[in-house]
Amino acid sequence: MTGTSLDGIDVAIVDFNYNGNEFTFKELFFETYNYSDKIKSIILEIIGSTGQIYNISQLNFALSKIYAESVKSALTASGIDKSQITAIGMHGQTLWHQPYTKKFAEMFVSSTLQIGNISALNVLTEIPVIGDFRSADIAAGGQGAPLVPVFDYHFLRSQSENTICLNIGGIANITYLPKGCSKADVIGFDTGPGNMLIDIAAKKYFDKNYDSNGDIARSGKLDNEILDLLMNIDFINKPYPKSTGRETFNVMFVNNYFGDNTLPEDILNTLTHYTAKSIAANIINSGFEVDKVVVSGGGAKNSYLMELIQSYLPQAKVIDSMQLGVGIDSKEAVCFAFLALLNILGLNGNLPSVTGAKFETILGVTAGK
Amino acid sequence: MTGTSLDGIDVAIVDFNYNGNEFTFKELFFETYNYSDKIKSIILEIIGSTGQIYNISQLNFALSKIYAESVKSALTASGIDKSQITAIGMHGQTLWHQPYTKKFAEMFVSSTLQIGNISALNVLTEIPVIGDFRSADIAAGGQGAPLVPVFDYHFLRSQSENTICLNIGGIANITYLPKGCSKADVIGFDTGPGNMLIDIAAKKYFDKNYDSNGDIARSGKLDNEILDLLMNIDFINKPYPKSTGRETFNVMFVNNYFGDNTLPEDILNTLTHYTAKSIAANIINSGFEVDKVVVSGGGAKNSYLMELIQSYLPQAKVIDSMQLGVGIDSKEAVCFAFLALLNILGLNGNLPSVTGAKFETILGVTAGK
C-alpha cells in the first residue's frame, strides 16, 4: 500500500483463512519502507502537472471504451457470439518506450508504457482481457520489443528457405528465421522507419494520410546526398538487438533533413528509398543469408516501396505475407491474440535471443477469468 | 492492436489450435476501426510532452523495483519464505483520481490512475501480483473508492453496536456498519482531509513531517471564523457517495485560507479542529446512529485529534482499531492483501452501496500464476 501521503511503502504479510463463508486473518509482519526524497519529489512533480496527468488518466479509460466498442462492432459484423471468445489480447497505445536503461531517481531504469485500461476493457466487454505484453520482458532485462518474432517462428519458419519476415508499420522490423531454425536461433529487431516518415511527408506536402501505392514517390527523384546522410544516423548502423519509435522518427526528423529547396515529390522519393535501403542495409550488415522476404503491414501495399526493397536485396524473393496465408494488415493483431493465448496456456512469450532479456517469461497481465 | 502510426484499432478474431507441440490458426474476421481525430490529437499531444511522459514511464518501473526491494526486505525481516506467499496485492501510487465523469474527447469519462507496473513486480519478485484494484469499479460506473469498506464489513462489523470505521490517512474516510448489517447496508465515503492539511502546515511552518501527538496544535488557539469558512466548502457538505484526494486538499488550499496574520500554532489548531469536525459533520449530516468509532491510520496516533473527534461525537465511543486486533498503521495494507485474496477466489470486491457502481465486479488484474 502506498497512499496519497507519500510517507512510504507499507508492507503487511497476512495469513488469511476462508471457510467458504467467514474470513479470518492473522497479521504476520508489518513494516513501512520510506520513499526516497527523490522519488517523492518526482511523484509530486507529476501530480502537480494536473493538465497532463488528467489527460493521461482519462485517455487510459477513454481508450478502453473505444476498444470495447470496436470489439462489439467486430462481433456484430462477424456474427461471432461473445461466448465463443476465450480472451481479448490488448496491445494498448504506446505512450513511451525506453528500451535502454537510463539513470532515474538514482536507479538504472528501462520502461515501456502502453495505456488502455485492461480491467476496464474486461468489465465493459465481459470478456477476459490480457494486456501489457511488453513489461515483463523489460523487467527481465530485455527491450520489450519486438514481440512478433515468436509468432513468425511458429507460423512462418521454413525447413528449406532462410526467411526474413518484414513488417512495415510506422516502424519497420524484421524477424530472421534461418532455415530449420530452433527458437533460440531467431533474431528480430527494428530496422528504422517503416511508413512513418513517408506518411509524415505525404501529410505535410500533399495533405494525404499516405502515399497511395507509392505513386507520388515514383514521380519524384532521389536525392543521393540526403540519402547518404540519412543512412549514416546512429540507429540504422547500430547492431541488433535494437528497437525504436516515434521518439526518433518524427516530423522533426523530416524537417531537419529537408529544406525548402527540395521538391516535395523528391522528398517522398528519397524517404521511400531511405525506408527500403535502411531495411536492406540492416539485413546485409547483419550478415544474414536470405532466400525469402515475407512482407506485412501497410508498407506491403506500397508497390514502389516493395520494388525498391527487391532492388536493394536482389538475391532474395520479396513477397507479401498474404501469399503464405497471413493477412498483410491483420498480422500484428493476430500476433497479439496469439500472445494472449500463450499467456493463457502459461507459456513464455518472449524470445531472449530477440529482445536481449536475461530469461524467458510469461508476458501480460490478466483481468477476468 | 493499436500501433505507433495511430491509424486505428485493428481487431482480428482468430481461432487458434494447439496440439501441445504445434500451433495453427484461422483468421475468422479482421477490421480496422479508426481513431477519432480528437483521440489522435490527444495522443500526439501527450507523446509530444516528452519530459513528462518519460518521467511517468520510468517512474512506473522504478516503483516496481522499489516495491520489489520492500517485499524482499519484509520477507527477510519476517523470516517468511517466498514459497509461502500466495500473491502480492499492490495498490500502486495514485497519480490521478477522477471519480466523476467529465467530457473528454467527446465522451463522458471517469478514470483512476495508479502506477507501479504489475507485470514487472511479478518478474522481479517471482510472486504472483494483483493490482489496479480501482479500475473495474470505475468501469462499472462507480467511484473506484473507497475500497476498505469490504474489509471493514468482513472483520469489524458487530451484531450489537452501530459501528463507524474511520481511517485517517492523508484523506479521512469512514465505513458505516449498522449493527447486524448485511453487505448491501454498508456505506462508506471520504469525509475530507485526514492528516494531509495538518502535515502540510507542520511542514510549512515548523519543518516537521507531522504534528507529533498533536502537541503543536494543542498549544494553539482555534480561529472559529476560518473554521466556519472551511466547513462550508462544497466537498464537506455534499452527500455520499463521494471521494477526494490531493486534487482538492493541498498546499494551495492551506495558503488560500490562512494569511500572514494567523499564528502558525493557531493554524495547526484550526486545521486539527477542521479535520475532526468535518469527519463528525459527515457522520451527523448522514443521519447515522453511532455507538462506536474505530479509528485507524496515522491520525489515530494524534491524541489531540482523537480527543477532538470524541468531543464532536459525544454520544459515541471513540477507540483505535488495535483494540479490536487491527493494526492502526497496517490496516490499509492488510486490506489490499485481502482484496488480492478476493480476486484469487473469484469473489467480487466492490460494494455498489459504497462506490455507486452499477454492479459488483471482481477487482484487479493479475500477473503470474
Side-chain angles (χ1 to χ4, degrees):
Chain A
M1 176 70 210
T2 46
T4 46
S5 57
L6 300 181
D7 47 0
I9 304 151
D10 291 344
V11 184
I13 306 183
V14 191
D15 185 16
F16 288 100
N17 272 287
Y18 182 50
N19 63 11
N21 182 30
E22 290 282 314
F23 291 96
T24 55
F25 78 89
K26 208 176 132 193
E27 193 182 308
L28 304 178
F29 177 82
F30 178 72
E31 184 63 78
T32 300
Y33 298 94
N34 288 339
Y35 271 141
S36 71
D37 288 344
K38 187 77 197 159
I39 282 284
K40 233 166 139 165
S41 71
I42 290 172
I43 294 172
L44 287 171
E45 187 193 323
I46 290 174
I47 296 175
S49 71
T50 50
Q52 184 68 342
I53 196 73
Y54 165 80
N55 270 340
I56 293 169
S57 179
Q58 291 284 81
L59 181 62
N60 192 27
F61 277 70
L63 288 177
S64 297
K65 285 188 160 200
I66 300 169
Y67 293 170
E69 287 311 310
S70 301
V71 167
K72 281 172 199 169
S73 301
L75 290 173
T76 305
S78 65
I80 294 168
D81 192 78
K82 192 162 77 173
S83 63
Q84 292 176 258
I85 306 294
T86 307
I88 296 169
M90 183 193 97
H91 179 274
Q93 188 64 52
T94 297
L95 295 188
W96 193 264
H97 189 64
Q98 180 68 45
Y100 308 102
T101 58
K102 257 182 114 162
K103 204 162 183 194
F104 182 83
E106 287 137 20
M107 289 175 283
F108 286 93
V109 178
S110 55
S111 65
T112 187
L113 183 60
Q114 281 78 38
I115 68 164
N117 186 273
I118 294 161
S119 187
L121 184 60
N122 167 239
V123 169
L124 296 173
T125 59
E126 300 175 287
I127 299 169
V129 178
I130 298 149
D132 194 16
F133 292 101
R134 301 189 186 276
S135 292
D137 185 75
I138 290 264
Q143 304 216 342
L147 299 182
V148 175
V150 73
F151 175 86
D152 293 334
Y153 170 75
H154 282 290
F155 299 106
L156 292 169
R157 75 182 189 273
S158 158
Q159 288 302 319
S160 58
E161 290 179 302
N162 296 300
T163 302
I164 293 269
C165 303
L166 165 64
N167 190 73
I168 311 178
I171 296 294
N173 57 66
I174 60 170
T175 305
Y176 179 51
L177 303 162
K179 58 184 171 192
C181 65
S182 72
K183 236 165 123 180
D185 300 325
V186 180
I187 294 167
F189 54 92
D190 290 348
T191 60
N195 303 309
M196 196 174 274
L197 299 179
I198 297 170
D199 290 355
I200 286 169
K203 189 79 195 168
K204 180 172 174 183
Y205 299 106
F206 300 92
D207 196 29
K208 296 187 177 222
N209 287 329
Y210 55 96
D211 179 12
S212 175
N213 214 22
D215 289 341
I216 303 172
R218 207 187 282 272
S219 74
K221 280 201 319 285
L222 171 63
D223 187 323
N224 255 311
E225 215 168 302
I226 297 180
L227 181 61
D228 283 349
L229 282 175
L230 292 170
M231 288 300 294
N232 272 326
I233 71 158
D234 281 356
F235 183 81
I236 307 298
N237 301 292
K238 186 151 80 176
Y240 65 83
K242 58 183 179 177
S243 60
T244 186
R246 200 180 277 278
E247 300 83 59
T248 303
F249 298 104
N250 49 34
V251 67
M252 266 125 61
F253 185 91
V254 174
N255 294 344
N256 282 348
Y257 284 93
F258 295 96
D260 292 341
N261 33 17
T262 314
L263 282 175
E265 57 267 35
D266 294 353
I267 294 176
L268 268 162
N269 184 287
T270 304
L271 287 173
T272 307
H273 266 278
Y274 178 44
T275 303
K277 194 173 183 181
S278 62
I279 291 164
N282 269 284
I283 293 169
I284 294 163
N285 295 345
S286 304
F288 300 153
E289 309 257 316
V290 188
D291 299 308
K292 189 170 66 183
V293 179
V294 185
V295 189
S296 58
K301 290 186 282 193
N302 181 332
S303 65
Y304 186 54
L305 179 60
M306 290 289 276
E307 285 169 31
L308 290 178
I309 294 167
Q310 180 68 79
S311 76
Y312 284 114
L313 291 168
Q315 75 286 13
K317 182 172 58 181
V318 178
I319 61 172
D320 73 55
S321 63
M322 200 55 228
Q323 297 184 41
L324 298 174
V326 177
I328 288 171
D329 291 318
S330 59
K331 185 184 172 193
E332 272 197 297
V334 171
C335 168
F336 283 93
F338 180 61
L339 287 174
L341 174 65
L342 291 181
N343 176 295
I344 291 167
L345 295 172
L347 297 174
N348 296 326
N350 66 332
L351 298 180
S353 65
V354 169
T355 64
K358 295 193 189 77
F359 47 86
E360 288 192 15
T361 177
I362 294 174
L363 302 181
V365 302
T366 308
K369 332 217 156 199
Chain B
M1 176 72 210
T2 45
T4 46
S5 57
L6 301 180
D7 48 1
I9 305 152
D10 292 345
V11 183
I13 306 183
V14 192
D15 184 18
F16 288 99
N17 274 285
Y18 182 50
N19 64 10
N21 181 30
E22 289 283 314
F23 290 95
T24 56
F25 78 90
K26 206 175 132 192
E27 193 182 309
L28 305 178
F29 178 81
F30 177 72
E31 184 63 78
T32 301
Y33 298 93
N34 287 340
Y35 271 140
S36 70
D37 287 346
K38 187 76 197 158
I39 282 284
K40 233 166 139 166
S41 72
I42 289 172
I43 295 171
L44 287 171
E45 187 193 322
I46 289 173
I47 296 176
S49 73
T50 48
Q52 184 69 340
I53 197 71
Y54 166 79
N55 270 339
I56 294 169
S57 179
Q58 292 282 81
L59 181 62
N60 192 28
F61 277 71
L63 287 178
S64 296
K65 285 190 161 197
I66 300 169
Y67 293 171
E69 287 311 311
S70 301
V71 167
K72 281 173 198 167
S73 300
L75 290 174
T76 304
S78 65
I80 294 168
D81 192 78
K82 192 161 79 172
S83 64
Q84 293 177 257
I85 306 293
T86 307
I88 295 169
M90 182 193 98
H91 179 275
Q93 188 64 52
T94 297
L95 293 188
W96 193 264
H97 188 63
Q98 180 69 44
Y100 309 102
T101 57
K102 258 182 115 163
K103 204 162 181 192
F104 182 83
E106 287 138 22
M107 290 176 282
F108 286 94
V109 178
S110 56
S111 66
T112 188
L113 183 61
Q114 280 79 39
I115 67 164
N117 187 273
I118 295 161
S119 186
L121 184 60
N122 167 240
V123 169
L124 296 174
T125 60
E126 300 174 288
I127 299 170
V129 178
I130 297 149
D132 194 16
F133 292 101
R134 302 189 186 275
S135 292
D137 185 75
I138 290 263
Q143 302 216 343
L147 299 183
V148 175
V150 73
F151 176 86
D152 293 335
Y153 171 76
H154 283 290
F155 301 108
L156 292 169
R157 76 181 187 274
S158 158
Q159 287 302 319
S160 58
E161 290 180 304
N162 295 300
T163 303
I164 293 270
C165 304
L166 165 62
N167 190 72
I168 311 178
I171 296 296
N173 57 65
I174 60 170
T175 304
Y176 178 51
L177 304 162
K179 56 185 173 193
C181 65
S182 73
K183 233 166 124 180
D185 302 323
V186 180
I187 294 166
F189 54 92
D190 290 349
T191 60
N195 303 310
M196 197 175 274
L197 299 180
I198 297 171
D199 290 354
I200 286 169
K203 189 78 196 170
K204 181 172 172 182
Y205 299 106
F206 300 92
D207 197 29
K208 293 183 179 223
N209 287 330
Y210 55 96
D211 179 11
S212 175
N213 214 23
D215 289 342
I216 303 173
R218 206 187 283 270
S219 74
K221 280 202 317 288
L222 171 63
D223 187 322
N224 255 309
E225 215 169 302
I226 296 179
L227 180 61
D228 283 349
L229 283 176
L230 292 171
M231 287 300 294
N232 273 324
I233 71 158
D234 281 354
F235 183 80
I236 306 299
N237 302 291
K238 186 151 78 178
Y240 64 81
K242 58 183 180 177
S243 60
T244 186
R246 199 179 279 277
E247 301 82 59
T248 303
F249 298 104
N250 49 34
V251 68
M252 266 125 63
F253 186 90
V254 174
N255 294 343
N256 283 347
Y257 285 93
F258 296 96
D260 291 340
N261 32 18
T262 313
L263 284 174
E265 55 268 35
D266 295 353
I267 295 176
L268 269 163
N269 184 287
T270 305
L271 287 174
T272 307
H273 266 277
Y274 178 45
T275 302
K277 193 173 183 182
S278 62
I279 291 165
N282 269 285
I283 292 169
I284 294 163
N285 296 345
S286 303
F288 299 154
E289 308 256 318
V290 188
D291 300 308
K292 190 170 66 183
V293 179
V294 185
V295 189
S296 58
K301 290 185 281 191
N302 180 332
S303 64
Y304 185 55
L305 179 61
M306 289 289 276
E307 284 168 32
L308 290 177
I309 294 168
Q310 180 68 79
S311 75
Y312 283 115
L313 292 169
Q315 74 285 14
K317 184 172 58 182
V318 178
I319 60 171
D320 73 54
S321 64
M322 201 54 228
Q323 296 184 42
L324 298 174
V326 177
I328 289 172
D329 291 319
S330 59
K331 185 184 171 192
E332 274 197 297
V334 172
C335 168
F336 282 92
F338 180 60
L339 288 173
L341 173 65
L342 291 181
N343 177 294
I344 291 166
L345 295 173
L347 298 174
N348 297 324
N350 66 331
L351 298 181
S353 63
V354 169
T355 64
K358 296 195 189 77
F359 48 86
E360 290 192 12
T361 178
I362 294 174
L363 302 181
V365 302
T366 308
K369 334 221 155 197

